[in-house]
Amino acid sequence: MNYVPLKITLMNTGFKKESEDAIMHHIGLALDTKKLQQFEYELIVPQGIHYYEARMVALREDDVLGIVRDITERITAEKALRESEEKYRNLVDNLNIGIFRSLLKKGGRIIEVNNFFARLFGFESKDLLTGISIKKYYVNPDDRKRISKELISSGHIARREVQMKKRDGSIFWVSITAHIPGFPDMSAGIIEGTIEDITERKHSEEMVRSANRKLSLLSSITRHDIQNQLMALQGYQELLRDHLAGSEEKELLDKQIHIAGAIE
């Protein structure tokens, strides 16, 4: 690292008032405590604002040695990272799908969720879910066991459909997709995944199944009724045939009997 001596002269108009105060304050601390002082400050230069790290130590009673390091690149990178993380959090929090991080064990204790996940379970704030065990929100505890077992075995699950409970106890259907980061290394013991409300779809599917059952029953009843009517008709046709004298009439009746048999 390239350190340069810090000249204790604050005539440079690039110093902000707070930077001047910080420098003078730490000079005083270095002289009073005889301990190393370290701090950061800003300086306006022709290229823009630069950031520096200063270290000071007292040499004698009224003498301070200071070294300064330009940390503009590091500060700029940290600022860009914070802005990127903030954009990512805003994106995640505004998605219309639940996103979660939880522990693999300890009942699936929640580490972090997005806003949609919280609303899905009836919570006003995502912070209210932090540290809560997701296990108690499964309608069937065996579903949670099966999901955990599959995650430990393969490292991921996709679109597992289960029933869960909201905060008020109402039941809804969800589809869960999740994975263990770094699998097969499970030392972190963390699950990351998404959860989607599929209640409307499940209700629609049940309505279709119910309609099909009714149509099948109606079809069975209607067919059975037609068959009964045909059997009666064929019986009357046979009785009528025995009383017909002419061959032409019998031939016409035979054709009717044949047609009735084909319908059956």
PDB file of all heavy atoms in Angstrom, residues 109-111 113-114 117-119 121 123 125-134 137:
ATOM      1  N   ARG A 109     -36.986 -23.115  10.788  1.00  0.00           N
ATOM      2  CA  ARG A 109     -37.030 -21.741  11.304  1.00  0.00           C
ATOM      3  C   ARG A 109     -36.677 -20.742  10.205  1.00  0.00           C
ATOM      4  O   ARG A 109     -35.686 -20.890   9.493  1.00  0.00           O
ATOM      5  CB  ARG A 109     -36.083 -21.586  12.486  1.00  0.00           C
ATOM      6  CG  ARG A 109     -36.197 -20.244  13.216  1.00  0.00           C
ATOM      7  CD  ARG A 109     -35.295 -20.213  14.420  1.00  0.00           C
ATOM      8  NE  ARG A 109     -35.659 -21.260  15.378  1.00  0.00           N
ATOM      9  CZ  ARG A 109     -34.884 -21.606  16.405  1.00  0.00           C
ATOM     10  NH1 ARG A 109     -33.721 -21.024  16.589  1.00  0.00           N
ATOM     11  NH2 ARG A 109     -35.283 -22.559  17.228  1.00  0.00           N
ATOM     12  N   ILE A 110     -37.506 -19.715  10.058  1.00  0.00           N
ATOM     13  CA  ILE A 110     -37.354 -18.753   8.964  1.00  0.00           C
ATOM     14  C   ILE A 110     -36.212 -17.781   9.239  1.00  0.00           C
ATOM     15  O   ILE A 110     -36.112 -17.200  10.322  1.00  0.00           O
ATOM     16  CB  ILE A 110     -38.670 -17.978   8.746  1.00  0.00           C
ATOM     17  CG1 ILE A 110     -39.749 -18.930   8.220  1.00  0.00           C
ATOM     18  CG2 ILE A 110     -38.468 -16.813   7.784  1.00  0.00           C
ATOM     19  CD1 ILE A 110     -41.128 -18.305   8.150  1.00  0.00           C
ATOM     20  N   ILE A 111     -35.353 -17.613   8.240  1.00  0.00           N
ATOM     21  CA  ILE A 111     -34.256 -16.642   8.317  1.00  0.00           C
ATOM     22  C   ILE A 111     -34.674 -15.328   7.668  1.00  0.00           C
ATOM     23  O   ILE A 111     -34.475 -14.249   8.225  1.00  0.00           O
ATOM     24  CB  ILE A 111     -32.997 -17.191   7.614  1.00  0.00           C
ATOM     25  CG1 ILE A 111     -32.541 -18.494   8.277  1.00  0.00           C
ATOM     26  CG2 ILE A 111     -31.868 -16.154   7.635  1.00  0.00           C
ATOM     27  CD1 ILE A 111     -31.443 -19.207   7.516  1.00  0.00           C
ATOM     28  N   VAL A 113     -37.670 -13.668   4.545  1.00  0.00           N
ATOM     29  CA  VAL A 113     -38.708 -13.813   3.528  1.00  0.00           C
ATOM     30  C   VAL A 113     -38.939 -12.453   2.871  1.00  0.00           C
ATOM     31  O   VAL A 113     -38.492 -11.427   3.384  1.00  0.00           O
ATOM     32  CB  VAL A 113     -40.054 -14.326   4.118  1.00  0.00           C
ATOM     33  CG1 VAL A 113     -39.886 -15.688   4.747  1.00  0.00           C
ATOM     34  CG2 VAL A 113     -40.614 -13.324   5.135  1.00  0.00           C
ATOM     35  N   ASN A 114     -39.634 -12.466   1.736  1.00  0.00           N
ATOM     36  CA  ASN A 114     -39.995 -11.189   1.118  1.00  0.00           C
ATOM     37  C   ASN A 114     -41.402 -10.777   1.549  1.00  0.00           C
ATOM     38  O   ASN A 114     -42.110 -11.518   2.246  1.00  0.00           O
ATOM     39  CB  ASN A 114     -39.859 -11.243  -0.407  1.00  0.00           C
ATOM     40  CG  ASN A 114     -40.887 -12.160  -1.043  1.00  0.00           C
ATOM     41  OD1 ASN A 114     -41.503 -12.996  -0.389  1.00  0.00           O
ATOM     42  ND2 ASN A 114     -41.074 -12.029  -2.347  1.00  0.00           N
ATOM     43  N   PHE A 117     -44.389 -13.151   0.611  1.00  0.00           N
ATOM     44  CA  PHE A 117     -44.469 -14.337   1.468  1.00  0.00           C
ATOM     45  C   PHE A 117     -45.233 -14.002   2.748  1.00  0.00           C
ATOM     46  O   PHE A 117     -46.103 -14.753   3.189  1.00  0.00           O
ATOM     47  CB  PHE A 117     -43.061 -14.827   1.808  1.00  0.00           C
ATOM     48  CG  PHE A 117     -43.015 -16.130   2.558  1.00  0.00           C
ATOM     49  CD1 PHE A 117     -42.676 -17.299   1.900  1.00  0.00           C
ATOM     50  CD2 PHE A 117     -43.286 -16.192   3.918  1.00  0.00           C
ATOM     51  CE1 PHE A 117     -42.622 -18.513   2.582  1.00  0.00           C
ATOM     52  CE2 PHE A 117     -43.246 -17.388   4.609  1.00  0.00           C
ATOM     53  CZ  PHE A 117     -42.904 -18.556   3.935  1.00  0.00           C
ATOM     54  N   ALA A 118     -44.895 -12.855   3.346  1.00  0.00           N
ATOM     55  CA  ALA A 118     -45.571 -12.447   4.579  1.00  0.00           C
ATOM     56  C   ALA A 118     -47.061 -12.252   4.350  1.00  0.00           C
ATOM     57  O   ALA A 118     -47.892 -12.729   5.142  1.00  0.00           O
ATOM     58  CB  ALA A 118     -44.933 -11.154   5.105  1.00  0.00           C
ATOM     59  N   ARG A 119     -47.427 -11.556   3.275  1.00  0.00           N
ATOM     60  CA  ARG A 119     -48.848 -11.326   2.984  1.00  0.00           C
ATOM     61  C   ARG A 119     -49.577 -12.640   2.700  1.00  0.00           C
ATOM     62  O   ARG A 119     -50.747 -12.804   3.059  1.00  0.00           O
ATOM     63  CB  ARG A 119     -48.993 -10.378   1.792  1.00  0.00           C
ATOM     64  CG  ARG A 119     -48.527  -8.957   2.076  1.00  0.00           C
ATOM     65  CD  ARG A 119     -49.021  -7.996   1.006  1.00  0.00           C
ATOM     66  NE  ARG A 119     -48.527  -8.320  -0.316  1.00  0.00           N
ATOM     67  CZ  ARG A 119     -47.394  -7.844  -0.819  1.00  0.00           C
ATOM     68  NH1 ARG A 119     -46.624  -7.036  -0.089  1.00  0.00           N
ATOM     69  NH2 ARG A 119     -47.017  -8.159  -2.044  1.00  0.00           N
ATOM     70  N   PHE A 121     -49.184 -15.439   4.086  1.00  0.00           N
ATOM     71  CA  PHE A 121     -49.526 -16.109   5.337  1.00  0.00           C
ATOM     72  C   PHE A 121     -50.291 -15.203   6.303  1.00  0.00           C
ATOM     73  O   PHE A 121     -50.522 -15.584   7.448  1.00  0.00           O
ATOM     74  CB  PHE A 121     -48.261 -16.649   6.002  1.00  0.00           C
ATOM     75  CG  PHE A 121     -47.744 -17.909   5.370  1.00  0.00           C
ATOM     76  CD1 PHE A 121     -46.925 -17.860   4.249  1.00  0.00           C
ATOM     77  CD2 PHE A 121     -48.099 -19.150   5.864  1.00  0.00           C
ATOM     78  CE1 PHE A 121     -46.460 -19.019   3.647  1.00  0.00           C
ATOM     79  CE2 PHE A 121     -47.639 -20.320   5.278  1.00  0.00           C
ATOM     80  CZ  PHE A 121     -46.814 -20.254   4.156  1.00  0.00           C
ATOM     81  N   PHE A 123     -49.466 -12.014   7.368  1.00  0.00           N
ATOM     82  CA  PHE A 123     -48.678 -11.145   8.238  1.00  0.00           C
ATOM     83  C   PHE A 123     -48.533  -9.757   7.613  1.00  0.00           C
ATOM     84  O   PHE A 123     -48.338  -9.630   6.399  1.00  0.00           O
ATOM     85  CB  PHE A 123     -47.290 -11.742   8.483  1.00  0.00           C
ATOM     86  CG  PHE A 123     -47.298 -12.936   9.395  1.00  0.00           C
ATOM     87  CD1 PHE A 123     -47.598 -14.200   8.899  1.00  0.00           C
ATOM     88  CD2 PHE A 123     -47.018 -12.807  10.743  1.00  0.00           C
ATOM     89  CE1 PHE A 123     -47.618 -15.315   9.730  1.00  0.00           C
ATOM     90  CE2 PHE A 123     -47.034 -13.905  11.582  1.00  0.00           C
ATOM     91  CZ  PHE A 123     -47.338 -15.165  11.077  1.00  0.00           C
ATOM     92  N   SER A 125     -46.086  -7.612   8.217  1.00  0.00           N
ATOM     93  CA  SER A 125     -44.672  -7.306   7.959  1.00  0.00           C
ATOM     94  C   SER A 125     -43.866  -8.593   7.867  1.00  0.00           C
ATOM     95  O   SER A 125     -44.101  -9.546   8.618  1.00  0.00           O
ATOM     96  CB  SER A 125     -44.117  -6.430   9.083  1.00  0.00           C
ATOM     97  OG  SER A 125     -42.703  -6.332   9.004  1.00  0.00           O
ATOM     98  N   LYS A 126     -42.895  -8.613   6.974  1.00  0.00           N
ATOM     99  CA  LYS A 126     -42.030  -9.794   6.836  1.00  0.00           C
ATOM    100  C   LYS A 126     -41.168 -10.013   8.076  1.00  0.00           C
ATOM    101  O   LYS A 126     -40.766 -11.142   8.378  1.00  0.00           O
ATOM    102  CB  LYS A 126     -41.148  -9.664   5.592  1.00  0.00           C
ATOM    103  CG  LYS A 126     -40.188  -8.493   5.624  1.00  0.00           C
ATOM    104  CD  LYS A 126     -39.387  -8.406   4.339  1.00  0.00           C
ATOM    105  CE  LYS A 126     -38.380  -7.266   4.376  1.00  0.00           C
ATOM    106  NZ  LYS A 126     -37.598  -7.179   3.125  1.00  0.00           N
ATOM    107  N   ASP A 127     -40.893  -8.930   8.809  1.00  0.00           N
ATOM    108  CA  ASP A 127     -40.065  -9.046  10.012  1.00  0.00           C
ATOM    109  C   ASP A 127     -40.744  -9.893  11.086  1.00  0.00           C
ATOM    110  O   ASP A 127     -40.064 -10.472  11.939  1.00  0.00           O
ATOM    111  CB  ASP A 127     -39.755  -7.653  10.566  1.00  0.00           C
ATOM    112  CG  ASP A 127     -38.928  -6.808   9.600  1.00  0.00           C
ATOM    113  OD1 ASP A 127     -38.159  -7.412   8.825  1.00  0.00           O
ATOM    114  OD2 ASP A 127     -39.064  -5.581   9.616  1.00  0.00           O
ATOM    115  N   LEU A 128     -42.078  -9.952  11.066  1.00  0.00           N
ATOM    116  CA  LEU A 128     -42.810 -10.737  12.066  1.00  0.00           C
ATOM    117  C   LEU A 128     -42.593 -12.236  11.895  1.00  0.00           C
ATOM    118  O   LEU A 128     -42.859 -13.011  12.818  1.00  0.00           O
ATOM    119  CB  LEU A 128     -44.312 -10.424  11.985  1.00  0.00           C
ATOM    120  CG  LEU A 128     -44.724  -8.993  12.326  1.00  0.00           C
ATOM    121  CD1 LEU A 128     -46.215  -8.794  12.068  1.00  0.00           C
ATOM    122  CD2 LEU A 128     -44.398  -8.679  13.785  1.00  0.00           C
ATOM    123  N   LEU A 129     -42.115 -12.655  10.715  1.00  0.00           N
ATOM    124  CA  LEU A 129     -41.907 -14.078  10.446  1.00  0.00           C
ATOM    125  C   LEU A 129     -40.490 -14.549  10.792  1.00  0.00           C
ATOM    126  O   LEU A 129     -40.247 -15.747  10.880  1.00  0.00           O
ATOM    127  CB  LEU A 129     -42.193 -14.372   8.974  1.00  0.00           C
ATOM    128  CG  LEU A 129     -43.672 -14.567   8.617  1.00  0.00           C
ATOM    129  CD1 LEU A 129     -43.895 -14.357   7.139  1.00  0.00           C
ATOM    130  CD2 LEU A 129     -44.141 -15.939   9.035  1.00  0.00           C
ATOM    131  N   THR A 130     -39.566 -13.624  10.967  1.00  0.00           N
ATOM    132  CA  THR A 130     -38.178 -13.989  11.251  1.00  0.00           C
ATOM    133  C   THR A 130     -38.095 -14.791  12.550  1.00  0.00           C
ATOM    134  O   THR A 130     -38.581 -14.366  13.595  1.00  0.00           O
ATOM    135  CB  THR A 130     -37.295 -12.729  11.360  1.00  0.00           C
ATOM    136  OG1 THR A 130     -37.405 -11.976  10.153  1.00  0.00           O
ATOM    137  CG2 THR A 130     -35.837 -13.122  11.575  1.00  0.00           C
ATOM    138  N   GLY A 131     -37.471 -15.962  12.469  1.00  0.00           N
ATOM    139  CA  GLY A 131     -37.298 -16.813  13.644  1.00  0.00           C
ATOM    140  C   GLY A 131     -38.448 -17.758  13.920  1.00  0.00           C
ATOM    141  O   GLY A 131     -38.359 -18.626  14.789  1.00  0.00           O
ATOM    142  N   ILE A 132     -39.550 -17.624  13.181  1.00  0.00           N
ATOM    143  CA  ILE A 132     -40.713 -18.501  13.373  1.00  0.00           C
ATOM    144  C   ILE A 132     -40.501 -19.824  12.635  1.00  0.00           C
ATOM    145  O   ILE A 132     -39.949 -19.855  11.539  1.00  0.00           O
ATOM    146  CB  ILE A 132     -41.997 -17.810  12.867  1.00  0.00           C
ATOM    147  CG1 ILE A 132     -42.378 -16.647  13.782  1.00  0.00           C
ATOM    148  CG2 ILE A 132     -43.159 -18.797  12.771  1.00  0.00           C
ATOM    149  CD1 ILE A 132     -43.611 -15.895  13.353  1.00  0.00           C
ATOM    150  N   SER A 133     -40.950 -20.917  13.228  1.00  0.00           N
ATOM    151  CA  SER A 133     -40.864 -22.226  12.592  1.00  0.00           C
ATOM    152  C   SER A 133     -41.978 -22.376  11.563  1.00  0.00           C
ATOM    153  O   SER A 133     -43.159 -22.245  11.901  1.00  0.00           O
ATOM    154  CB  SER A 133     -40.964 -23.338  13.638  1.00  0.00           C
ATOM    155  OG  SER A 133     -41.103 -24.593  13.006  1.00  0.00           O
ATOM    156  N   ILE A 134     -41.605 -22.648  10.320  1.00  0.00           N
ATOM    157  CA  ILE A 134     -42.604 -22.826   9.254  1.00  0.00           C
ATOM    158  C   ILE A 134     -43.343 -24.148   9.417  1.00  0.00           C
ATOM    159  O   ILE A 134     -44.424 -24.348   8.854  1.00  0.00           O
ATOM    160  CB  ILE A 134     -41.925 -22.758   7.868  1.00  0.00           C
ATOM    161  CG1 ILE A 134     -42.959 -22.573   6.745  1.00  0.00           C
ATOM    162  CG2 ILE A 134     -41.086 -24.003   7.611  1.00  0.00           C
ATOM    163  CD1 ILE A 134     -43.704 -21.276   6.808  1.00  0.00           C
ATOM    164  N   TYR A 137     -47.107 -24.350  10.141  1.00  0.00           N
ATOM    165  CA  TYR A 137     -48.060 -23.849   9.147  1.00  0.00           C
ATOM    166  C   TYR A 137     -48.422 -24.893   8.094  1.00  0.00           C
ATOM    167  O   TYR A 137     -49.183 -24.602   7.190  1.00  0.00           O
ATOM    168  CB  TYR A 137     -47.516 -22.577   8.488  1.00  0.00           C
ATOM    169  CG  TYR A 137     -47.483 -21.412   9.451  1.00  0.00           C
ATOM    170  CD1 TYR A 137     -46.312 -21.048  10.087  1.00  0.00           C
ATOM    171  CD2 TYR A 137     -48.646 -20.712   9.745  1.00  0.00           C
ATOM    172  CE1 TYR A 137     -46.279 -19.991  10.988  1.00  0.00           C
ATOM    173  CE2 TYR A 137     -48.639 -19.648  10.642  1.00  0.00           C
ATOM    174  CZ  TYR A 137     -47.449 -19.299  11.262  1.00  0.00           C
ATOM    175  OH  TYR A 137     -47.430 -18.262  12.158  1.00  0.00           O
TER     176      TYR A 137
END
